[in-house]
Amino acid sequence: MAAVKFEKVHFSYKTDDEQAENVFAEDAAFSLNGIDFSVEEGEFVAVLGHNGSGKSTLARLTNGLLSPTEGEITVFGLDAKNPKNLFEIRKQVGIVFQNPDNQTVASIVEDDVAFGPENVGIPRQEIGERIDFALRAVGMTDFRSATPSRLSGGQKQRIALAGVLALKPKMMILDEATAMLDPRGRKEVIDAVLRLNREEKITVLLITHFPEEAMLADRAIVMSNGSIVMEGKPADVFAKEDELKKYALTMPRHICVCRGLREGGVEIADTMETQKIAETLLPALQGDFSTDLQENLGRVNSENTIKPETSTGAGCVHCENLSFVYNSNSPFETHALDGVNLTINAGDFFGIIGHTGSGKSTFVQHLNALLKVPTAEKKYKEKKLKKGQIVPPKTVLSVNGFDLTDKTTDFKTLRRKVGMVFQYPEYQLFAETVFEDVAFGLKNFYSDITDAEKQKAVREALETVGLNYENVKDRSPFELSGGQKRRVAIAGVIVTKPEILVLDEPAAGLDPLGKEEIMDLLHKIHRDWCKTVIIVSHDMDEIAENCNRAAVFSMGKILLTGTPKELFGRVDALMDLGLDVPFTAKIVDFLGQNGVHIDCDYTWWDFVEKVLKYYKTKGAGMRLTPSSEGGQNHA
Amino acid sequence: MRDIAFGQYYPAESFVHKLDPRTKILFLIVYIVAVFLGDNFYALGGCAGVFFLIMLFSRIPLQRLLRSLKAVLFLLLFMSVLNLFFFEGGKPLYDLPKPWRFLIITDKALYHATFLAARLLLLVLGSSLLTLTTTPVSLADGIESLLKPLKLIRFPVHELALIISIALRFIPILTEETGRIMNAQKARGADFESGNFFKRIKSLLPILIPLLISAFRRADELGDAMDARCYSGSKVRTKYKKLTYGWRDLLAAFVGVGLLIGVIFLKIYTGALV
């Protein structure tokens, strides 16, 4: 029996409520136009598609949170249009949503998991058993009496999963449930879902932007503008580059690598598995060992060509012995920063890597004095030193030429020079019009600015972020789409022409194309707007592809600093911290252990180029007829 | 911001912590009644005795308890001073020349002011003991359970409890979010500290509006999540956690009733002592 069956399903928000359109213009994009679709029991289906393609609408229709305007939806044999069936359908089909904070009703984990069973009138004895079952299934048994707000994103989301599981559903829908999590949290959730599908035979509908998650599914469907446009095995779907592009999706990096290698003559099938690529490459590269391996490697010594101007001038960050303690002298005391030393040069596109809670956000907030440097030494000087107590080393923090350890520093000018874009910056928009919102910073920093100057600055900022000034300036920021809102928020920061721009997870929550566009935008800003760009990111490929230098934070300390090439060459050190590395680094590491040394900067295109070069000069390719093709460069 | 210790709850394993929240709420009510009924120092002494007994059994350090007095310290002093100088009657304790007559304190005023201060002190300390030993969640559970009889007059007890529980759940989230938005606007040069009252109120708009929008968005999403988990009001609902009274509660009940009887007894037989 089909778990879910859609027949010619249409849905639009407009007909539902004319008013709604005004409030959330975005919704207009989320309609469905005649969808035929089914999921078999026990199947694992991934749904892909750009933001606003109708994926979430599909999910909401499936468990009756929305009702179709036209067409038939059958869920486990029940007609979803009949309101009487809703209760039963929701028991069978559970949904986990995107934001882990907004799905929990209780302040204690077990109370929250009990919420569903309580709602359907399960006797108390059995609720206890169900809580046991659900928490065990997601590996959260030890957290039964914990407080959700103290848990990590991945843990919170697993609690949400447990809350749904406690109703013993036959099917689970994950509506971008991993979008807001860091890589570690994402893995926790996906592993739990995979196990439920394999062991408990629960049907899974996984809505996601991450290709590596979609690859785990039995089947993938791609949605675009309210229709299903592609369907098939995930590997097959991802292999169709032209079609993906048409539907605003990007080809996963794994497939790009396989493609590139194949075009260079290496026999390799498209695969999303890192290990498989590595294993296929090894025999192809282990060729004639007569030439000295170490010699002809052509070590290009790192592309860190941008020489530091000075370490204290405009665009620079210089920091020594920076420590920071939250809630000091209380039971909740946490050492967020513990003696950080770091120099960021003018002209850097700098990456900051680390787990949630590693201190990177705390560090970043020091850069424009949102957190002030504690004057610890002073305190020590005033009080007499206890016996054996060592005076902490002097803290130095100089940002863009400002001495932040000095209380007389002009912090207002500092904030103008150091722009800060927080995570999900679109949530900080507030003004009636886009113009007013972007101009907010201008008005704060320059109280005597003329209207003409203001207009000019706002126009420049909006155009830089790729928005049409005339079109958007008088619109409410809340009318715009998610990606546009983020651009407006960035415009609101760069409008004062900061020399250093700091962005916390600038691409979080966007679809793959949106991510690419934002990174392109940042390069544009870096090129002709701000001297130095600093990004905090979980996405190692993003760091490898965009940054010239990066630092790894862990437990309030900086563990490694260097070019992405230097950092990601240390696969073991990073993996030991539980951090990820670009998959190319894993392959290089594997090849290296087997005597094949590839020297690349870990972007997929450089990896392909260097592997092919090796292949042709030393690997199996040398024995074949030399191909005329060189390595491909990334467009 | 990351680790807001919400409410006053002081975690410990103690007799008082383990009491049923309903017992503690009812006991507090009895205690308050006793403190108000007691119109002499003997009665208040009894109340104070009971208070110290509970404090010992709750393992809350006295220091921690006294900290909760900070908020009412001003009120306490203010009331005492007012009573000292403006209480009519009684023998003056000292004499002052004409323009300073109003500064004369009488014996009755002194007695009265001390008495009031002691009463207020006992009230605040007693209530603090409740919030220090009971988590907000179980406090809400207790209130829900105690309000149950109101269901008869169609008062939405369950809904009220759910609202309280969700509010408690979202306080840390919204606090954190406020901090985040404030930082973001500060980074854009916003200034929340300077200017006159109206200017400062106006400067809060860039925080309040995003916060409000976010709260609505969260409410919307939470509503969906609750719907998806079959929430449909209190009709068929069962409850996983049921409050149960134990031997500790029985003991507490004896103490409470004892206190009340004692105070009433004192009121009747020693009222004339003053």
Side-chain angles (χ1 to χ4, degrees), chain A residues 450-463:
Chain A
T450 64
D451 276 358
E453 283 170 326
K454 203 157 73 176
Q455 261 175 33
K456 183 170 168 276
V458 172
R459 176 190 286 270
E460 268 179 14
L462 280 171
E463 279 169 2

Side-chain angles (χ1 to χ4, degrees), chain A residues 88 101 132 334 363 402 416 427 465 474 497 499 521 563:
Chain A
E88 197 51 37
D101 283 331
D132 286 339
T334 24
F363 173 73
F402 292 89
R416 178 157 57 82
Y427 293 158
V465 299
D474 294 324
K497 301 223 169 169
E499 284 175 279
L521 169 63
T563 62

Side-chain angles (χ1 to χ4, degrees), chain B residues 162-224:
Chain B
L162 190 66
I163 290 169
I164 295 175
S165 146
I166 289 175
L168 288 174
R169 155 93 186 94
F170 274 85
I171 284 171
I173 294 175
L174 291 177
T175 318
E176 208 184 300
E177 175 135 40
T178 312
R180 212 163 33 225
I181 297 172
M182 254 173 111
N183 271 343
Q185 311 298 30
K186 264 195 207 161
R188 292 211 276 163
D191 182 1
F192 307 120
E193 277 110 36
S194 60
N196 60 29
F197 179 73
F198 290 103
K199 211 172 160 192
R200 258 191 277 178
I201 293 285
K202 217 185 141 199
S203 77
L204 286 181
L205 280 184
I207 297 173
L208 291 179
I209 293 174
L211 196 62
L212 211 65
I213 291 173
S214 148
F216 275 115
R217 183 173 39 84
R218 287 180 191 278
D220 200 34
E221 285 180 29
L222 183 71
D224 274 349

Side-chain angles (χ1 to χ4, degrees), chain B residues 141-267:
Chain B
D141 280 348
I143 293 170
E144 179 189 6
S145 179
L146 289 173
L147 289 179
K148 240 180 217 160
L150 290 179
K151 265 188 189 161
L152 287 175
I153 55 161
R154 300 248 178 118
F155 184 82
V157 176
H158 156 75
E159 282 76 6
L160 185 75
L162 190 66
I163 290 169
I164 295 175
S165 146
I166 289 175
L168 288 174
R169 155 93 186 94
F170 274 85
I171 284 171
I173 294 175
L174 291 177
T175 318
E176 208 184 300
E177 175 135 40
T178 312
R180 212 163 33 225
I181 297 172
M182 254 173 111
N183 271 343
Q185 311 298 30
K186 264 195 207 161
R188 292 211 276 163
D191 182 1
F192 307 120
E193 277 110 36
S194 60
N196 60 29
F197 179 73
F198 290 103
K199 211 172 160 192
R200 258 191 277 178
I201 293 285
K202 217 185 141 199
S203 77
L204 286 181
L205 280 184
I207 297 173
L208 291 179
I209 293 174
L211 196 62
L212 211 65
I213 291 173
S214 148
F216 275 115
R217 183 173 39 84
R218 287 180 191 278
D220 200 34
E221 285 180 29
L222 183 71
D224 274 349
M226 284 168 68
D227 269 345
R229 279 159 83 185
C230 299
Y231 181 70
S232 58
S234 54
K235 274 170 284 170
V236 289
R237 222 168 177 273
T238 47
K239 207 150 167 42
Y240 168 56
K241 271 192 187 157
K242 206 162 188 189
L243 298 171
T244 43
Y245 293 115
W247 60 271
R248 290 188 186 84
D249 302 285
L250 193 68
L251 208 66
F254 275 122
V255 176
V257 171
L259 174 69
L260 205 58
I261 291 175
V263 170
I264 293 172
F265 184 83
L266 275 173
K267 194 174 171 64

Side-chain angles (χ1 to χ4, degrees), chain A residues 16 104 113 128 132 169 193 209 252 254 256 270 323 328 333 364 435 441 489 531 545 548 550 552 574 593:
Chain A
D16 238 38
T104 324
V113 177
D132 286 339
V193 170
H209 286 314
H254 279 80
C256 292
D270 283 345
S323 298
S328 66
E333 184 174 288
V364 159
F435 182 91
K531 269 204 179 102
E545 287 168 13
N548 68 319
V552 180
L574 290 172
Q593 284 170 17

